[in-house]
Structures are given as C-alpha cells and as structure tokens.
Amino acid sequence: MNKSLNRVVLWVGAGVVLGVIATTGYQALSSHLSLRNNPSPGRLVELNGRKVHVLCAGEGAPTVILEAGLPASSLTWMSVFSEIAELTRVCTYDRPGYGWSQPTDSSRTAETIAQELRMLLQSSDIEPPYILTGHSFGGLVMQLYATRFPNDFTGMVLVDSSHPDQAHRTLGLREIDTISFAMKTLGPIGIVRMLFPVPAGNPESREISVREQERELLMTNRTLRTATREMSGLRESLRQVAESTVDLGSKPLVVLSQGQMRAQSWMAMQEDLSRLSTNSEWQVVDGAGHFIQHDQPDAIVEAIRHVLERLETTADNSPP
C-alpha cells in the first residue's frame, strides 16, 4: 500500500514539475513572440541607455501628454488618441518595461517616472506647454510632475486618478499587494496569462487588433516584472506626492471619476483632487468603471476640449 502511494505521489510530483517547466517555457516563448510580432506604432527614443517608445499625432499647442495607469501601456489610450489629435497635438509613451519600451533597473516610483518623463519629452523635442493627462497611477505621476516642473504645463486632466492619501483612507492597497504577489509568483510560469482578465473596460471602445495587441504586450515577462515593481513602490509613490505641495493655481483642471463604484471614501478623494486648482471641474462619469477612457471615451475627449477652451478664453482676456 505504501509503495503504491509513493508511486502515485512520485508521478503526481513529476507531472507538476513537468507542467511548470512547460508553462514557464510557453510563457517565455510567448513573451518573445509578442514583442517580435507586434512592431511599435511610434518611434523609439534613447533614454538613460534604453529605448523608450513614444507616439505622437496631430498639430497645435499645447501638447496633450497621456500617462497610463498601472499596469498599462500607451495602447490604453487608443480609444481616444485619434480624436484628441483632431483637437491639438497629443503624445503618449510606454514607461520603461511596458509596451515597446525596454525595462530599466531604476526605481519605479512616481518621482523617478516624473523625472524620466521630463527627460523623455526633452529628448523627443516635445516642447511645452503641456496638458498633463493621467489615469489612475498615471494621475499620481502627473500631480508630481506638475509640482516639480510647474512652468511646463498649462492644464491638467485627471482620469479616476490615484490620491496621495488613499493608503490611509481605503483598503485598496491590500488588493494591490495581493495582485502584485500573484503576478510575481505566477507570472513567470504562465498562470497570470491564463487567469487575468486584460485588457479591462468596454472591449468595443478599441479595435479587436488593438485589444489583442494590448493583452499580448501586458503578458510579457518584462511587463509583469515592471508592474510588480511599480506596485511594490506604490506606498513610496503616494508618500512622495503627499509630501509635495501640489497646487495648480488657476490653471484649468478637469477631474473625471468613475460612476460605477461610488464608495464614499473614493468620491471624497476625487473631490479633493478637484481642489488642486481654483479653475476646476469635477465630473462623475455615469456608467464608466475605472477605465473611463475605455467605457466612456467621449468624456476624455470632451475634458481635453474643455481645458483647451478655457485656455483660449484666458488668452483672449489677457491684457495686450
């Protein structure tokens, strides 16, 4: 009996090991093929010895800079990118380790990312002024960018943005810790690829080819590693913004908040963000989840249009 049981345990153990080896190999191969089979739509710019993907379209000033959330690439903005390009020039990019950008060993906190973004814009000859637009974690980066480089921008749009106090006012970081652990342990063996429902939001907002491309690039090993590093550094990122004085003065600001989850703590933080400027508007987007750019893309385009109109009005009313 014991010998039979030992054989069963041995065979099961061997099967598990072989399964892990097979899925790990498949994950590595899939990561390689995803990057090889999906050419970048933009250009690759040198940044600290690594290539970073930048995509721009349209003409005019100010330039809209789109910063994705966590974990997301420039593809998250494709539901609104062309429409914004009809209004003015628009640029988005992949943070190092996402999309077509090579990974980096530097810390993945809001401070580092904001500094990298400044260097990238300069290296790419994308001149200010900017309308800083950030989704979720990207909104946190844009808040810090505005503090560090106040002369670079003329307006801001925050899309269901993170708030520097959310670690103290919600339980959201516990969920992020769980996701980070799952991605770190299960990602390399291909389990995340099978289980995680990405990309998020309304699938009809982007073409099927874009959604498939977004999923493939999100599931590469280097993107999973980068995402876990950003999640691990999230508390530090929140502290960095909390210790900075974010004050937009009278620069136009539009805060867009999801309408599906109206938890009191989250809505209170979104209202707080609208107070960063004396010239702001806060809109709860009915029917939209966290990825407003996917669920209600028109709301993003209209927010950009609103900021541009306010800037034009200010310019017309300024003394000669």
Side-chain angles (χ1 to χ4, degrees), residues 278-312:
T278 59
N279 183 13
S280 69
E281 177 182 327
W282 177 33
Q283 178 185 353
V284 177
V285 184
D286 290 335
H290 183 53
F291 285 81
I292 299 174
Q293 66 269 37
H294 298 168
D295 294 334
Q296 299 287 347
D298 289 347
I300 309 293
V301 178
E302 288 306 309
I304 299 293
R305 189 194 309 275
H306 190 60
V307 171
L308 288 169
E309 290 174 350
R310 288 196 178 187
L311 291 172
E312 291 176 0

Side-chain angles (χ1 to χ4, degrees), residues 42-89:
R43 58 189 175 121
L44 297 176
V45 177
E46 189 84 13
L47 178 67
N48 295 332
R50 289 170 170 79
K51 299 293 186 180
V52 174
H53 175 242
V54 181
L55 178 65
C56 295
E59 297 180 355
T63 298
V64 176
I65 307 298
L66 301 172
E67 181 76 51
L70 189 174
S73 68
S74 56
L75 292 172
T76 194
W77 296 110
M78 290 305 102
S79 55
V80 298
F81 189 79
S82 297
E83 287 75 10
I84 297 174
E86 294 178 1
L87 303 176
T88 187
R89 191 183 189 203

